[in-house]
Amino acid sequence: MQMGPRASERTERRSAFERFTQSRLDRAYRLAGLILRDQSEAEDAVHDAAVQAWMHWQDLRDSERMDAWFDRILVNECRSRLRRQSIRPLVLADPPEPAGPDAFAGLHERDRLRRALAGLDADHRIAVVLRYVDDLSPAEIARRTGEREGTVKSRLHYALRQLRATLDAAERIPGGAL
């Protein structure tokens, strides 16, 4: 039995979408996890972003910009979730590999940075994660978040200033607690 043109088109559309989402799920979970600081919320956000992407898949005009298009959907979903509810701390299943002679120095430093990052508001945290974890330029962050490039640069500036102040304050406190 031969499929009609519409059925064939739907099958190809579904296949293209599945290839696209499968190729970037790990990255999407990591990005959402860093923004939301909760693995369960991150999984839900990625799921909801994928559903939105599927519903608007036919609206995508430039296949070269699929990553930016999906990131924008995902970041907006994360932003929406951050505004709707308070977020519990992220619990990592796999602790990072310790670096240096002190086995816990790397873990301690990473924990301090994670707590400082958690102190940023949602928009600043999104900008920092996209810039320093995903290594995107301010122009690329602007395209993925729908913000102006100047706004992204300003958020990065103020977020880094707040992170420095938080980490400096932690160094002055005995035990380095934030």
Side-chain angles (χ1 to χ4, degrees):
M1 180 175 181
Q2 191 173 15
M3 286 192 280
R6 293 193 85 179
S8 175
E9 186 177 301
R10 281 192 307 265
T11 301
E12 177 53 37
R13 180 175 165 234
R14 178 178 295 143
S15 178
F17 183 77
E18 287 173 357
R19 283 191 308 273
F20 170 73
T21 53
Q22 288 301 317
S23 70
R24 68 178 341 283
L25 276 181
D26 288 340
R27 181 182 173 280
Y29 285 130
R30 183 175 55 101
L31 176 61
L34 288 167
I35 292 170
L36 296 170
R37 301 181 332 258
D38 180 287
Q39 202 57 44
S40 178
E41 280 291 320
E43 290 170 2
D44 289 346
V46 170
H47 173 267
D48 291 351
V51 168
Q52 287 178 38
W54 171 250
M55 290 173 30
H56 297 285
W57 187 247
Q58 72 280 358
D59 298 340
L60 180 63
R61 306 238 188 285
D62 184 1
S63 62
E64 298 289 318
R65 301 197 27 86
M66 284 194 305
D67 284 335
W69 175 76
F70 184 73
D71 280 353
R72 187 172 189 171
I73 293 170
L74 180 58
V75 165
N76 285 338
E77 178 62 30
C78 290
R79 182 180 288 130
S80 174
R81 286 172 177 278
L82 286 169
R83 288 181 179 147
R84 278 196 311 255
Q85 59 195 19
S86 64
I87 303 298
R88 298 176 308 273
L90 173 67
V91 177
L92 295 176
D94 303 68
E97 291 294 319
D102 181 359
F104 296 105
L107 292 174
H108 175 69
E109 191 63 29
R110 190 172 190 149
D111 184 54
R112 285 181 54 224
L113 184 56
R114 179 171 283 122
R115 285 183 287 171
L117 190 60
L120 297 175
D121 69 42
D123 290 329
H124 287 98
R125 187 169 48 251
I126 289 167
V128 168
V129 167
L130 290 173
R131 176 68 181 108
Y132 297 104
V133 175
D134 277 356
D135 199 30
L136 299 177
S137 70
E140 193 60 29
I141 295 168
R143 282 192 290 276
R144 291 178 187 218
T145 61
E147 302 291 345
R148 293 189 343 247
E149 186 175 351
T151 301
V152 170
K153 288 178 179 179
S154 175
R155 285 181 179 162
L156 286 169
H157 170 79
Y158 288 109
L160 292 177
R161 192 166 78 177
Q162 183 179 344
L163 285 172
R164 276 188 213 105
T166 301
L167 292 171
D168 288 346
E171 284 180 12
R172 290 190 296 271
I173 297 172
L178 288 178

